[in-house]
């Protein structure tokens, strides 16, 4: 496979693979890395829930700031965090985009005879930002806490086994998914020579997509066997990583509670 | 004693209609060391999955420890290592992968941690423990996979080609792990060189997925025509001394051959 399609396929999978495997920061000794996994999980996902509840732009911006400060304290490069979570807000912006003309409000400009309203633009901007900040917060958890510790913390917090199971399996599957795609592309590239032009490239890409689906299904099945061979049929039960909860843990948890209560008050009143 | 694995009338057909194993009857006794050999595509890996209870046979059944036909009930006693380490390693780091089995199968944490350290040391994985498994070299992946199966200390080992991509130094270490293992051991491999080192009994799987021979190591490995008929080849020392020595004197390993030559010099 040559040309633009090949290059973009390779760089996109490379990037996605990096997104789902950006675990290295977890070993660092930043603020979130040193928290008890249960505290990180509860507080940071608390922030994420709060940002999904809010309807106020300034509250959303405040959560954005909290996220940035947490990232900074935890030595997570902001750029890496941003690239890691760029996809989700982008996709959600596309989905809610029609709202710019659908929502009633004062018209800003006319496009193809449709009035773009101020309310519509505000809605799309706010929605995209909320998704972006929410995903950034959840990414922070994954980037600063070992995945097995997150799972162990969920079990300790008595989150229903089924839910933990679904999360664990999804995560592992994503891992494999991008890994398989990466290997497939490498394997094809290693055996294609000469120029195909963009048409040949597209034809090849379609074929590749078909084979990829088959391979991931097959790979999923074989990895399922590999998991089962080591007790994967039983509920996920990694070793606990919790430690004694210290001052900083209490501070983070308290901050999370205050911010969540504040958000609810701002949204619904007392 | 008593049987650890009893397979009866075992067949397996893949969804695309390929029959990979055919009517396999076999019993493995406690403490036995068995090599299951056969050409590529003969059905060794499929047989391993079926014996390990990871696929449901199309016909027949497997009974474990004379107790049950449900492999999940005895999972912590069965150490099934798949052929491709990429299917076996799926956690975020090598350490998590080695810990996965012990954690799932209820090994206490401190015991598991000591085992992880010991195995990582033995298999040269200490510097790789915090790396994602898929970023390792082929042989390193294989070593991580071997560590992951030994980590929960299973009673019965069913290893599919564990020596594959591993260099001689670590091949030796894996060999040590295998010989130190006190339980039952089944090795699935198309290459016969390691077989005399680890097994006493050889099950030869023919090209159509049924068992064509089940005898002692010496009897199978010195039967060149049987091996060649089934797409295999005797170990090099056997080929070298065939026709020179009687069949029951043929050296099976390089060190046996060496010993023979030295004795003759004297
Ligand atoms: N997922 C599958 N779907 C269909 N057929 C398969 C599948 N996996 C293996 N086979 C076929 O089943 C037969 C036995 O395969 P198996 O993997 O058990 O062989 P093997 O003895 O382990 O070979 P090798 O020495 O190459 O590892 C082969 O003919 C193979 O092509
Ligand atoms: Mg095989």
């Amino acid at each position: 496979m040559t040309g633009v399609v090949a290059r973009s396929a390779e760089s996109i999978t490379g990037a996605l693979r990096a997104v789902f495997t950006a675990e290295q920061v977890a070993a660092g000794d930043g603020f979130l890395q040193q928290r008890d996994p249960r505290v990180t999980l509860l507080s940071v996902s608390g922030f994420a829930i709060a940002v999904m509840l809010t309807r106020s732009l300034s509250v959303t911006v405040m959560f954005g700031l909290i996220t940035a400060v947490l990232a900074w304290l935890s030595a997570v490069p902001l750029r890496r965090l941003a690239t890691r979570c760029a996809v989700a807000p982008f996709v959600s912006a596309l989905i809610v985009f029609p709202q710019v003309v659908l929502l009633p409000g004062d018209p800003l400009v006319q496009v193809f005879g449709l009035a773009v309203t101020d309310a519509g633009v505000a809605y799309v901007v706010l929605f995209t930002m909320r998704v972006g900040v929410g995903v950034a917060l959840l990414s922070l958890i994954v980037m600063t806490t070992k995945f097995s510790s997150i799972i162990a913390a969920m079990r300790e917090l008595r989150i229903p086994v089924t839910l933990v199971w679904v999360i664990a399996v999804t995560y592992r599957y994503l891992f494999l998914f991008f890994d398989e795609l990466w290997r497939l592309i490498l394997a094809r590239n290693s055996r294609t020579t000469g120029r195909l032009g963009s048409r040949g490239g597209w034809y090849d890409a379609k074929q590749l997509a078909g084979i990829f689906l088959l391979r991931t299904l097959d790979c999923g099945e074989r990895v399922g066997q590999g998991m089962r061979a080591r007790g994967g049929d039983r509920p996920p039960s990694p070793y606990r990583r919790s430690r004694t909860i210290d001052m900083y843990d209490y501070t983070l948890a308290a901050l999370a509670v205050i911010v969540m209560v504040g958000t609810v008050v701002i949204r619904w009143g007392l | 004693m008593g049987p650890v694995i009893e397979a009866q009338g075992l067949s397996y057909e893949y969804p695309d209609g390929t029959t990979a194993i055919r009517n396999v009857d076999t019993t493995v006794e406690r403490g036995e060391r068995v090599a299951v050999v056969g050409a590529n595509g003969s059905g060794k890996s499929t047989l391993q999955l079926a014996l390990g209870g990871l696929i449901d046979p199309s016909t027949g059944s497997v009974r474990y420890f004379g107790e049950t036909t449900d492999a999940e009930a005895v999972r912590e006693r069965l150490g099934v290592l798949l052929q491709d380490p990429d299917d076996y390693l799926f956690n975020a780091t090598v350490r998590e992968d080695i810990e996965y089995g012990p954690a799932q199968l209820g090994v206490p944490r401190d015991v598991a941690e000591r085992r992880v350290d010991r195995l990582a040391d033995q298999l040269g994985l200490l510097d790789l423990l915090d790396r994602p498994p898929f970023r390792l070299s082929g042989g390193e992946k294989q070593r991580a996979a071997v560590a992951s199966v030994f980590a929960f200390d299973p009673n019965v080992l069913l290893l599919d080609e564990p020596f594959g991509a591993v260099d001689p130094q670590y091949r030796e270490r894996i060999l040590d792990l295998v010989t130190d293992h006190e339980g039952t051991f089944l090795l699935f491999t198309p290459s016969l060189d390691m077989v005399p080192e680890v097994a006493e009994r050889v099950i030869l799987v023919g090209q159509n997925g049924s068992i064509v021979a089940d005898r002692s190591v010496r009897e199978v490995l010195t039967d060149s025509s049987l091996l060649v008929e089934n797409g295999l080849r005797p170990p090099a020392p056997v080929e070298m001394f065939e026709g020179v020595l009687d069949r029951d004197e043929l050296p099976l390993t390089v060190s046996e051959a060496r010993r023979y030559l030295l004795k003759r010099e004297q």
Side-chain angles (χ1 to χ4, degrees):
Chain A
M1 200 168 54
T2 51
V4 187
V5 182
R7 271 202 306 281
S8 20
E10 199 173 329
S11 51
I12 292 172
T13 25
L16 288 175
R17 205 162 169 258
V19 163
F20 288 102
T21 56
E23 290 258 342
Q24 285 91 334
V25 197
D29 51 0
F31 178 74
L32 285 180
Q33 288 88 335
Q34 289 179 7
R35 300 284 62 77
D36 184 291
R38 290 170 299 178
V39 174
T40 308
L41 184 67
L42 282 185
S43 317
V44 181
S45 47
F47 287 140
I49 291 169
V51 80
M52 291 289 74
L53 289 180
T54 185
R55 291 292 176 271
S56 138
L57 188 63
S58 46
V59 174
T60 309
V61 170
M62 182 203 72
F63 276 108
L65 286 178
I66 293 181
T67 312
V69 170
L70 281 177
W72 180 70
L73 287 174
S74 312
V76 174
L78 279 181
R79 256 187 70 180
R80 196 144 134 213
L81 185 63
T83 36
R84 195 186 153 110
C85 21
V87 181
F90 181 75
V91 171
S92 47
L94 282 184
I95 292 170
V96 297
F97 195 71
Q99 301 291 344
V100 295
V101 295
L102 292 180
L103 275 188
D106 292 335
L108 295 175
V109 279
Q110 294 280 335
V111 187
F112 302 122
L114 294 169
V116 173
T117 64
D118 58 349
V121 171
Y123 177 81
V124 172
V125 169
L126 180 62
F127 187 82
T128 309
M129 278 181 63
R130 278 165 45 217
V131 172
V133 174
V135 172
L137 282 163
L138 295 180
S139 305
L140 261 189
I141 304 181
V142 180
M143 291 173 88
T144 57
T145 318
K146 283 213 155 101
F147 193 70
S148 58
S149 313
I150 300 177
I151 295 292
M154 287 188 202
R155 293 296 308 277
E156 276 181 84
L157 292 167
R158 310 218 184 285
I159 291 174
V161 171
T162 324
L163 183 61
V164 180
W165 206 322
V166 168
I167 291 173
V169 169
T170 310
Y171 177 82
R172 290 192 175 116
Y173 194 70
L174 282 176
F175 234 103
L176 294 168
F177 187 81
F178 290 109
D179 219 45
E180 190 63 27
L181 186 54
W182 175 257
R183 276 190 283 173
L184 182 57
I185 289 173
L186 283 189
R188 303 254 348 205
N189 284 358
S190 70
R191 275 176 287 160
T192 10
T193 51
R195 295 200 147 299
L196 276 168
S198 64
R199 256 186 90 165
W202 272 116
Y203 173 74
D204 219 43
K206 272 193 286 184
Q207 251 199 340
L208 194 75
I211 294 169
F212 172 62
L213 259 177
L214 284 179
R215 271 180 63 153
T216 30
L217 285 179
D218 221 57
C219 174
E221 189 183 340
R222 279 178 286 119
V223 172
Q225 290 166 348
M227 280 172 76
R228 226 150 41 90
R230 289 186 277 161
D233 254 13
R234 305 176 186 193
S237 53
Y239 295 116
R240 302 163 169 218
R241 304 270 178 215
S242 4
R243 357 166 309 271
T244 45
I245 294 185
D246 65 14
M247 267 291 297
Y248 293 107
D249 288 322
Y250 283 119
T251 314
L252 179 63
L255 182 69
V257 170
I258 293 169
V259 167
M260 280 169 77
V261 170
T263 310
V264 169
V265 169
I266 292 174
R267 167 111 195 248
W268 285 290
L270 280 174
Chain B
M1 286 284 133
V4 165
I5 293 177
E6 292 166 277
Q8 248 181 16
L10 213 57
S11 303
Y12 187 80
E13 187 179 319
Y14 280 101
D16 69 354
T18 315
T19 304
I21 51 173
R22 258 171 242 269
N23 209 10
V24 169
D25 290 304
T26 192
T27 301
V28 178
E29 299 290 329
R30 194 159 308 225
E32 251 192 311
R33 310 194 141 248
V34 185
V36 179
V37 304
N40 287 149
S42 56
K44 301 178 297 295
S45 299
T46 313
L47 180 58
Q48 186 222 23
L49 292 176
L51 292 181
L54 295 172
I55 52 178
D56 286 330
S58 316
T59 65
S61 66
V62 185
R63 195 171 174 78
Y64 301 95
F65 306 100
E67 298 167 12
T68 172
T69 52
D70 176 18
E72 297 317 321
V74 292
R75 187 50 76 203
E76 58 274 19
R77 290 191 259 168
L78 300 176
V80 183
L81 174 62
L82 306 188
Q83 179 167 12
D84 185 348
D86 280 314
D87 298 337
Y88 204 67
L89 305 170
F90 51 81
N91 285 282
T93 63
V94 173
R95 182 192 297 280
E96 282 174 48
D97 244 315
I98 305 180
E99 262 181 9
Y100 181 80
Q104 287 297 112
L105 298 169
V107 176
R109 181 173 179 173
D110 50 332
V111 177
E113 271 174 359
R114 259 177 284 143
R115 278 196 209 148
V116 172
D117 290 339
R118 182 175 51 80
L119 285 164
D121 184 34
Q122 205 162 353
L123 295 172
L125 297 167
L126 284 176
D127 295 334
L128 306 176
L129 282 176
D130 292 316
R131 298 248 306 264
F134 56 83
R135 299 230 175 100
L136 304 183
S137 78
E140 288 167 347
K141 279 183 201 173
Q142 188 103 44
R143 276 145 50 194
V146 169
S148 305
V149 70
F150 275 95
F152 62 93
D153 197 20
N155 208 285
V156 185
L157 286 169
L158 298 102
L159 309 186
D160 196 351
E161 200 46 56
F163 302 105
V166 177
D167 67 32
Q169 178 197 354
Y170 286 110
R171 195 174 288 208
E172 215 48 46
R173 306 270 185 98
I174 296 177
L175 195 62
D176 288 344
L177 278 174
V178 167
T179 39
D180 290 348
H181 173 72
E182 279 167 1
T184 313
F185 174 68
L186 285 87
L187 170 73
F188 297 75
T189 179
S191 94
L192 304 185
D193 296 327
M194 305 295 277
V195 169
E197 313 253 10
V198 295
E200 304 138 2
R201 167 181 166 199
V202 175
I203 295 177
L204 174 59
V205 184
Q207 260 138 345
N208 72 349
S210 54
I211 294 182
V212 294
D214 181 352
R215 283 178 262 149
S216 75
V217 170
R218 175 162 294 277
E219 278 175 273
V220 178
L221 296 198
T222 56
D223 194 339
S224 295
S225 54
L226 175 71
L227 292 174
V228 171
E229 243 167 65
N230 289 288
L232 297 172
R233 200 178 154 162
V238 171
E239 284 195 313
M240 205 165 159
F241 288 91
E242 223 174 7
V244 180
L245 289 173
D246 283 346
R247 198 169 147 196
D248 50 357
E249 285 180 346
L250 284 172
L252 299 179
T253 61
V254 173
S255 53
E256 275 179 36
R258 224 179 106 78
R259 232 175 293 139
Y260 166 76
L261 288 174
L262 286 172
K263 210 170 72 190
R264 222 182 54 160
E265 297 250 309
Q266 285 161 8

